[in-house]
Every structure is written in structure tokens, then in C-alpha cells.
């Protein structure tokens, strides 16, 4: 009976620990992706105020020192400006989900994983009064990638929590069964 009580308490602690770690990772992922999207939205609005969505020298100046990617797309999908690639070498962007959405509603968002699932790119596109679409994109480590970097620390925490759960389960088993042990049959 002692083993069953100990096993039940320890299994409950283990399940709660794994569930808590999983939910924490999901919450962190959604928090970080929400921050990235919010930042892109704010920066896109600011850049549109300065450039009016035109291929102006101001856009080139901003793009030369900007850490993320800036792309200016014409209403037909032709790339007019990109701060990381030559627009002449780029394909038409009319079928990109964020561009299609921005053409239809004025604002478009999307996110895509890289082929290796180590990075996730967030896109925010906004239609300017001129009809052009300004798209900003930021790349960040995906939740899987971030987990792989943090896994030694997560494992250390989990192992410490398991040792704590073992000690707590042992103590609770003793406390729960102590009255039963004193019964004289």
C-alpha cells in the first residue's frame, strides 16, 4: 500500500510539472510573437507617415539602417524597394498572403516557418494612400529552436523539481500512512 500511495502522489506531481512546463513554453511563444507583431505594426505605421508609401529617398535612408526587412510593393505586386535584396531579382509579391490581405482590407499579417523550423518570420503589411503596400518582416527563433537552446536549463529545473517531488511524495506517504501504521490489528 505504501508503494501505491507514493506512486500516486509522485505521478500526480510529475504530470503537473510536465503540464506546467508545456503551458509555460506555449505562453512564452505566444507572448513573444505578439510582441513582434505589435512592434512591426508600430514601425510600419511610423515609416508610412514619413514616406507616404512612395519610393522616396527617406525609405532608402530608413532601410539602410533598419535591422528588419522592409519591402515596398506596388498594387500589382511588383517589388519597388527592398532593403535586403535587389527588387529587379525578386518575384511578384501579389500572391503573398499578407500582401493579398493588405490589398483587400488595408492591413495584412502572416507568419511562416523556415524549412528547418528553426526560425519563424512575422510579416506586417499596410496599404498606403498611394496604393502601394509597405511590408515589414522580422525573423525570430521559433519555439522549437528556443526550446533547444534552453533545454539544458529546463532539464535542470525539471530534475530539481523531480527530486523535490520525490522527497515530498515520500514525506506525504509517511504522513498519510502513519496513523494506519499505529493501528493494532
Amino acid at each position: 500500500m505504501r508503494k501505491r500511495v507514493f506512486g500516486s502522489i509522485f505521478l500526480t506531481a510529475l504530470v503537473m510539472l510536465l503540464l506546467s512546463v508545456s503551458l509555460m513554453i506555449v505562453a512564452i511563444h505566444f507572448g513573444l510573437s505578439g510582441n513582434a507583431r505589435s512592434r512591426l505594426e508600430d514601425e510600419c505605421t511610423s515609416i508610412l507617415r514619413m514616406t507616404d508609401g512612395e519610393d522616396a529617398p527617406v525609405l532608402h535612408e530608413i532601410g539602410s539602417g533598419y535591422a528588419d526587412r522592409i519591402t515596398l510593393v506596388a498594387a500589382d505586386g511588383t517589388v519597388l524597394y527592398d532593403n535586403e535584396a535587389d527588387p529587379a531579382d525578386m518575384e511578384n509579391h501579389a500572391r503573398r498572403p499578407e500582401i493579398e490581405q493588405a490589398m483587400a482590407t488595408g492591413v495584412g499579417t502572416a507568419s511562416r516557418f523556415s524549412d528547418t523550423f528553426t526560425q519563424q518570420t512575422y510579416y506586417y503589411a499596410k496599404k498606403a494612400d498611394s496604393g502601394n503596400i509597405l511590408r515589414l518582416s522580422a525573423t525570430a527563433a521559433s519555439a522549437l529552436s528556443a526550446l533547444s537552446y534552453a533545454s539544458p536549463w529546463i532539464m535542470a529545473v525539471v530534475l530539481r523539481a523531480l527530486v523535490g517531488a520525490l522527497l515530498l511524495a515520500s514525506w506525504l506517504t509517511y504522513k498519510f500512512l502513519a496513523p494506519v501504521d499505529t493501528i493494532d490489528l
Side-chain angles (χ1 to χ4, degrees):
M1 172 151 70
R2 190 173 295 277
K3 286 183 181 180
R4 285 178 47 184
V5 171
F6 174 80
S8 296
I9 294 171
F10 181 71
L11 183 62
T12 302
L14 179 65
V15 168
M16 291 308 297
L17 173 68
L18 295 176
L19 185 62
S20 297
V21 168
S22 300
L23 290 175
M24 197 100 79
I25 290 169
V26 169
I28 289 169
H29 169 71
F30 282 113
L32 290 175
S33 65
N35 286 343
R37 288 186 174 130
S38 177
R39 181 180 58 82
L40 287 176
E41 179 181 352
D42 293 343
E43 290 173 0
C44 189
T45 302
S46 297
I47 292 171
L48 275 178
R49 274 193 215 119
M50 291 185 274
T51 64
D52 295 325
E54 297 293 328
D55 191 12
V58 176
L59 190 58
H60 291 284
E61 186 178 327
I62 293 169
S64 66
Y66 193 67
D68 296 323
R69 191 166 191 172
I70 300 174
T71 308
L72 184 64
V73 180
D76 65 354
T78 305
V79 177
L80 302 173
Y81 171 77
D82 191 282
N83 67 333
E84 293 184 5
D86 184 10
D89 297 335
M90 297 177 74
E91 64 185 33
N92 190 295
H93 280 41
R95 294 286 169 223
R96 303 281 171 100
E98 66 278 4
I99 301 295
E100 285 180 333
Q101 194 179 14
M103 286 181 189
T105 65
V107 174
T109 60
S111 64
R112 293 188 273 281
F113 283 106
S114 68
D115 294 335
T116 59
F117 291 105
T118 60
Q119 291 189 331
Q120 185 171 9
T121 304
Y122 301 100
Y123 297 93
Y124 183 85
K126 191 168 188 177
K127 190 173 186 177
D129 294 335
S130 64
N132 293 335
I133 296 165
L134 181 66
R135 180 185 77 172
L136 300 184
S137 61
T139 302
S142 69
L144 295 174
S145 177
L147 181 60
S148 71
Y149 292 127
S151 61
W153 296 104
I154 292 171
M155 289 306 296
V157 168
V158 168
L159 287 175
R160 285 186 178 165
L162 285 176
V163 169
L166 279 169
L167 295 173
L168 184 63
S170 178
W171 180 75
L172 286 174
T173 301
Y174 172 77
K175 282 293 191 186
F176 289 158
L177 295 180
V180 175
D181 288 340
T182 60
I183 295 176
D184 184 19
L185 297 175

